[in-house]
Amino acid sequence: MKVSAFLRKSANKNNTEIQATIYFRLRDKNKDIKSASELTINPNHWNAEKQGYKDRVALIGDSEKIKLKNDIQNIISFITQNYDEDADGEWLNVMIDKYHHPDKYKNKEQIEAERNLSFAELFDDFLLKHKLSEVRKKISE
């Protein structure tokens, strides 16, 4: 199984305004699945071998180059880790969407676990989950 990033659009050599969507392709045995991501890049700045910015693009800052490179690698890694034999085009769309919008796929328990609780709320929660033992109840009386 192999996952790669690619572009479908090309641009005139001096066109610095156009943006192309970065697509991801999953190939495995008899599967060849493609799906669009929310990532974009100018086609003139794209290096197909590196799957990211060309080395000598001066118009883009280093932080933006690094962010795009990391996003592409993270999506590839996410797809690879969650891959199973039943994967299809819809599955790949969902995986890419999960990467871009993870909160959309969280259940109530996950949302509650991430919520920042005050000390009093944490303490009340602790007391509810950890009842006093019979020995401690006798000592406190």
Side-chain angles (χ1 to χ4, degrees), residues 36-79:
S37 72
E38 294 180 14
L39 304 175
T40 60
I41 188 173
N42 182 299
N44 292 323
H45 300 163
W46 179 255
N47 182 331
E49 290 177 16
K50 286 187 169 187
Q51 297 183 22
Y53 279 101
K54 292 179 180 176
D55 290 333
R56 297 185 181 224
V57 176
L59 299 172
I60 307 299
D62 287 341
S63 62
E64 189 174 335
K65 290 178 187 177
I66 291 169
K67 183 182 180 329
L68 182 73
K69 180 181 178 181
N70 288 341
D71 280 341
I72 290 170
Q73 291 304 314
N74 289 340
I75 290 173
I76 289 172
S77 179
F78 186 68
I79 291 168

Side-chain angles (χ1 to χ4, degrees), residues 11-52:
N12 296 336
K13 191 169 186 159
N14 295 324
N15 189 342
T16 58
E17 299 299 318
I18 194 168
Q19 293 289 305
T21 300
I22 297 174
Y23 288 81
F24 287 86
R25 180 179 196 177
L26 183 147
R27 286 180 274 188
D28 185 30
K29 298 176 188 164
N30 57 353
K31 289 183 186 177
D32 190 357
I33 307 167
K34 300 171 188 123
S35 182
S37 72
E38 294 180 14
L39 304 175
T40 60
I41 188 173
N42 182 299
N44 292 323
H45 300 163
W46 179 255
N47 182 331
E49 290 177 16
K50 286 187 169 187
Q51 297 183 22

Side-chain angles (χ1 to χ4, degrees), residues 103 105-116:
D103 292 339
Y105 296 91
K106 291 182 181 172
N107 58 29
K108 280 185 177 181
E109 291 82 28
Q110 291 170 324
I111 293 169
E112 284 296 319
E114 290 178 357
R115 195 178 76 144
N116 292 332

